[in-house]
Amino acid sequence: MVPLNTADQETPREREEFRRSAPHFADRITADGRDGWPVEAGRYRLVVSRACPWASRALVSRRLLGLESALPVAITDPIQDERSWRFTLDPGGLDPVLGIAFLSEAYDARETGYPGGVSVPAVVDVPSGALVTNDYHRITLDLATEWTALHREGAPDLYPEELRDEIDEVAEGVYRDVNNGVYRAGFAEHQGTYEEAYRRLFARLDELSERLSTRRYLVGDTITEADIRLFTTLVRFDAVYHGHFKCNRNKLSENRVLWGYVRDLFQTPGFGDTVDFDHIKRHYYQVHTNINPRRIVPLGPDLSGWLTPHHREELGGRPFGDGTAPGPAPDGEAVPEQGRAL
């Protein structure tokens, strides 16, 4: 999860209240290694929390592109302590490859005394144990465009060159008003700030609903980076943002178009099979004690609706373009039963 302490806001009141940090470590892993980090199978470890929407982008992209063996993953505990993300889900409380108890140790190996927050997703160089990048915007774009030599056969093109301008434009609005908008509302300290974020969030959702009423995907007729970025917020909406962050004009399940759209993606291999509702709910309700001081985790909502027919195929479109669906999740990466929609 990205720490909330630097600005990308647009209004003076929001600049006073809500700040999301820009990635401090923005190195890139490229096919030609021009930043000093070449694409190399098995060299790096992707550290994620299944609770975090920003990290979930990387999980979805990695699955769709078939990079599981080339870029192994480490899953953190959804509950943080004073040292942030920790590997308490692993035997002995240590990541079995990096040999560390806290992701902060990889940050320290990169920059001693780094004063910023410890965020996921993060890519760590296994030989040195040092962080390479925590640039959540760039990681997925590079997986799609720089790691192509290691993509599975039949991998989709998630960032097609001819559609990049439109993808970027759509994704920017989604980021500002939806991905980040729910946080602006949830962490608002004044009524006016909350109301401004709330209105912009639902105005953007209404615009997206209209756009998706006649097309299956956000850009073109296949899944792209834009869909991944919207999905990871929408899939958390009813479970946490509607109540916990007071984004409660209506539930997503009450919006026919967006509910159909997000279920379509959820039922597409590579999307729903990366979602852990147990991790999501426990993280938000137990870590954000300033919002939920008693740390009570709600039992709802009912998750069975995620697997109901969506009928979005009637709009046409080809989920993977000329490619194919990814296979099942690798051994050890399947979401535990308590976190799945059954």
Side-chain angles (χ1 to χ4, degrees), residues 15-320:
R15 277 194 286 272
E16 291 174 5
E17 285 204 11
F18 182 91
R19 305 218 168 174
R20 179 175 299 283
S21 66
H24 181 75
F25 302 100
D27 291 9
R28 294 176 60 190
I29 301 170
T30 59
D32 61 7
R34 58 186 176 272
D35 274 7
W37 303 101
V39 170
E40 184 179 331
R43 175 173 174 177
Y44 307 100
R45 193 150 175 82
L46 175 65
V47 182
V48 301
S49 165
R50 283 180 169 147
C52 170
W54 317 95
S56 291
R57 296 177 178 182
L59 280 176
V60 173
S61 296
R62 174 178 169 271
R63 281 275 291 121
L64 294 176
L65 298 172
L67 290 170
E68 293 98 327
S69 61
L71 182 61
V73 71
I75 307 291
T76 67
D77 193 312
I79 308 302
Q80 299 158 284
D81 66 13
E82 67 279 359
R83 293 188 61 183
S84 194
W85 301 108
R86 53 190 184 161
F87 296 104
T88 47
L89 300 181
D90 294 301
L94 298 176
D95 179 82
V97 174
L98 299 173
I100 59 177
F102 296 89
L103 177 57
S104 59
E105 295 174 61
Y107 277 69
D108 291 340
R110 170 68 183 271
E111 183 178 310
T112 303
Y114 161 65
V118 176
S119 65
V120 289
V123 180
V124 178
D125 177 47
V126 173
S128 68
L131 182 77
V132 174
T133 179
N134 67 343
D135 190 341
Y136 58 97
H137 277 314
R138 192 71 237 178
I139 286 172
T140 51
L141 297 180
D142 283 343
L143 291 181
T145 60
E146 298 289 337
W147 289 67
T148 54
L150 298 175
H151 287 181
R152 66 179 176 86
E153 184 177 354
D157 186 352
L158 299 176
Y159 196 49
E161 191 165 1
E162 69 277 10
L163 296 176
R164 288 179 188 178
D165 287 347
E166 186 178 359
I167 291 170
D168 292 346
E169 180 182 2
V170 171
E172 173 57 29
V174 167
Y175 170 76
R176 185 178 61 248
D177 297 328
V178 181
N179 301 148
N180 221 25
V182 293
Y183 285 86
R184 288 173 172 159
F187 287 101
E189 296 181 3
H190 296 90
Q191 186 70 30
T193 308
Y194 160 72
E195 291 182 5
E196 189 169 23
Y198 174 102
R199 291 189 181 105
R200 282 168 48 184
L201 165 65
F202 282 101
R204 182 69 64 179
L205 290 178
D206 288 344
E207 177 186 290
L208 292 167
S209 181
E210 183 176 357
R211 181 184 184 95
L212 289 164
S213 65
T214 57
R215 55 198 303 168
R216 190 170 180 184
Y217 304 110
L218 284 171
V219 181
D221 68 347
T222 65
I223 292 164
T224 67
E225 176 78 12
D227 297 294
I228 295 171
R229 295 188 179 198
L230 180 56
F231 171 80
T232 59
T233 294
L234 295 187
V235 78
R236 289 161 171 76
F237 199 91
D238 287 5
V240 289
Y241 302 142
H242 177 270
H244 186 59
F245 279 175
K246 306 179 188 69
C247 299
N248 60 355
R249 190 192 74 178
N250 55 268
K251 294 179 180 178
L252 194 72
S253 57
E254 295 168 347
N255 181 308
R256 181 185 62 82
V257 173
L258 293 182
W259 180 228
Y261 166 77
V262 75
R263 279 182 295 141
D264 185 5
L265 292 178
F266 186 87
Q267 295 171 31
T268 299
F271 283 86
D273 53 22
T274 69
V275 174
D276 190 325
F277 286 106
D278 174 61
H279 278 207
I280 290 168
K281 288 168 57 176
R282 286 197 290 124
H283 171 79
Y284 281 91
Y285 287 103
Q286 293 187 324
V287 172
H288 298 162
T289 53
N290 56 331
I291 298 175
N292 185 36
R294 296 191 182 277
R295 305 179 77 230
I296 294 172
V297 180
L299 292 176
D302 180 6
L303 300 178
S304 61
W306 284 100
L307 302 179
T308 59
H310 51 77
H311 305 297
R312 295 280 297 177
E313 66 278 358
E314 296 172 8
L315 294 173
R318 302 171 300 149
F320 305 103

